[in-house]
Amino acid sequence: MGTFNIFVKEHGEPDETCEEIFEAADWQSAEQRTAQWVSERRRANPAFEWAELRSEENGEHRTAHWGPEHK
């Protein structure tokens, strides 16, 4: 079980924002939940640019990215 964060960048916004914090059993479960969340978000929000799942459980920093690469 871990805590995961979804960060989102929207077109026209200067910075990314943390849009969701949730608990999941493992990284794979968190990725699946985030993929579904991103799919729904893209349909509902034309300004959606990218999303990134982040976790820092047990001292390990992991990320997964949806959308164009960001700088």
Side-chain angles (χ1 to χ4, degrees):
M1 182 68 83
T3 301
F4 299 87
N5 303 292
I6 300 174
F7 286 83
V8 172
K9 172 74 171 68
E10 294 180 347
H11 293 289
E13 294 296 320
D15 298 312
E16 65 190 32
T17 57
C18 183
E19 293 287 320
E20 180 135 343
I21 300 171
F22 64 94
E23 297 286 323
D26 55 29
W27 181 256
Q28 184 177 8
S29 298
E31 282 184 309
Q32 290 171 351
R33 176 176 172 164
T34 303
Q36 179 64 37
W37 187 92
V38 167
S39 176
E40 293 169 4
R41 180 69 176 252
R42 279 188 175 139
R43 283 193 300 271
N45 184 357
F48 177 89
E49 188 172 338
W50 57 258
E52 190 168 83
L53 173 64
R54 300 178 187 168
S55 173
E56 292 191 28
E57 291 296 312
N58 302 321
E60 180 182 7
H61 178 76
R62 296 181 76 172
T63 63
H65 189 79
W66 286 262
E69 289 301 314
H70 60 283
K71 295 176 175 45

